[in-house]
Amino acid sequence: MPSDLSPIDKAKFVAAKRATDYVENGMKVGLGTGSTAAWLVKCLGEMVREEGLKITGVPTSSRTAALAREVGIEITSLDEARWLDLTIDGADEYDANLNLIKGGGGALLQEKIVATSSDRMVVIADIGKQVETLGAFPLPVEVIPFGWQTTKALIEETLVGMDVMGRTTTLRLNGDTPFMTDEGNYILDMHLNRIANSRQLSLVINQIPGIVENGLFIDICDAVVIGYGDGRVEVRDINEGTVETDKIDFLDNDNLFSDLSD
């Protein structure tokens, strides 16, 4: 194992590796977007090449699609797959009820569509993503470019009546230009600090014209696999009400670390 691998990257890897236990031959699997999900795609690619695993992946972004092809995973569109057995994805925050904030990578719309088109959603994350109350991570909302400044003003006006600690909204940039999603939309990041009622906020925000979707994933996640820098893994299943612990051996998986750039 490379000596310069950070504890955070180790935690992401062991969470991803443990989550592959949910994947079985013949499954149609939603593949998330982001640095933690990239570890998962790498792990699944190794299983395809070395163990003969046969799955069909449905990527949640063009980045994930490119990585899946690179490691040898057969992919298809959600329209072709229609319904999925499982989606595995990362999260920017999760609370005790496994409600999430997602969208730090800008793929929240495809991620939410794919996750809600699956029998089961499993989140992989390091322990640093766990919070008591959602909102410390800026909540992304995907908006159409037309009239986005008006949409932004409507969001900030709406937030006056919501139980949140911050009300600043910023346009996400890619250098000097607006960040563009795979659907050609913009992302507005809401700096709320604390969201007292995430379910209510999600419903209210989605009523504003111009908003396509928000990054609150409420009652969608079934289990979270939490990785630690020392190789420990904790699996919390919200439906079964169970908590399991495990430990992943890094030494058998050194080849995964050599070329993972995400």
Side-chain angles (χ1 to χ4, degrees):
M1 181 176 62
S3 59
D4 60 349
L5 196 68
S6 71
I8 291 295
D9 281 335
K10 293 176 186 176
K12 291 178 179 180
F13 167 72
V14 296
K17 187 66 175 175
R18 174 62 176 81
T20 63
D21 291 348
Y22 288 96
V23 180
E24 300 175 3
N25 265 319
M27 275 189 168
K28 292 181 285 187
V29 182
L31 304 175
T33 295
S35 59
T36 311
W39 291 104
L40 171 78
V41 175
K42 277 283 188 176
C43 289
L44 290 175
E46 184 186 48
M47 293 169 68
V48 167
R49 296 189 307 272
E50 300 186 5
E51 301 175 21
L53 177 69
K54 296 186 183 302
I55 61 170
T56 303
V58 174
T60 54
S61 68
S62 56
R63 284 169 288 156
T64 297
L67 180 59
R69 291 190 191 97
E70 180 184 328
V71 300
I73 298 174
E74 178 185 344
I75 63 172
T76 190
S77 68
L78 184 59
D79 286 334
E80 287 292 326
R82 299 183 66 83
W83 192 261
L84 309 182
D85 299 290
L86 172 69
T87 287
I88 305 177
D89 203 347
D92 298 303
E93 283 186 348
Y94 64 90
D95 65 15
N97 294 316
L98 304 194
N99 293 317
L100 320 169
I101 286 181
K102 289 179 51 56
L108 68 95
L109 179 58
Q110 288 192 25
E111 288 174 332
K112 187 174 279 191
I113 292 172
V114 169
T116 55
S117 302
S118 305
D119 287 337
R120 187 172 175 82
M121 182 194 188
V122 174
V123 160
I124 47 178
D126 60 84
I127 188 62
K129 302 298 176 61
Q130 178 178 305
V131 296
E132 282 192 23
T133 305
L134 297 176
F137 190 91
L139 174 63
V141 290
E142 184 160 340
V143 302
I144 65 170
F146 175 80
W148 72 265
Q149 294 190 46
T150 300
T151 303
K152 177 178 179 293
L154 288 170
I155 290 172
E156 292 174 342
E157 182 180 337
T158 300
L159 289 175
V160 172
M162 306 301 295
D163 190 357
V164 295
M165 289 186 65
R167 296 182 176 86
T168 302
T169 304
T170 57
L171 176 68
R172 188 178 299 184
L173 298 177
N174 182 15
D176 296 329
T177 60
F179 174 89
M180 193 78 71
T181 70
D182 281 354
E183 290 75 33
N185 296 320
Y186 292 168
I187 295 285
L188 296 177
D189 289 309
M190 300 164 57
H191 303 268
L192 307 176
N193 300 319
R194 180 186 64 83
I195 303 170
N197 189 332
S198 55
R199 188 184 306 275
Q200 179 190 44
L201 180 65
S202 179
L203 291 171
V204 170
I205 287 296
N206 274 12
Q207 299 306 308
I208 297 174
I211 289 183
V212 182
E213 189 53 82
N214 71 77
L216 285 167
F217 283 51
I218 310 297
D219 298 334
I220 295 175
C221 176
D222 296 287
V224 60
V225 182
I226 306 160
Y228 294 80
D230 61 0
R232 288 181 297 127
V233 181
E234 184 177 300
V235 181
R236 302 178 190 172
D237 190 307
I238 195 73
N239 300 315
E240 300 295 332
T242 58
V243 178
E244 299 177 3
T245 58
D246 200 354
K247 190 159 187 176
I248 304 295
D249 183 4
F250 293 104
L251 298 179
D252 293 337
N253 301 283
D254 286 354
N255 58 323
L256 286 175
F257 296 98
S258 60
D259 59 352
L260 184 58
S261 59
D262 191 346

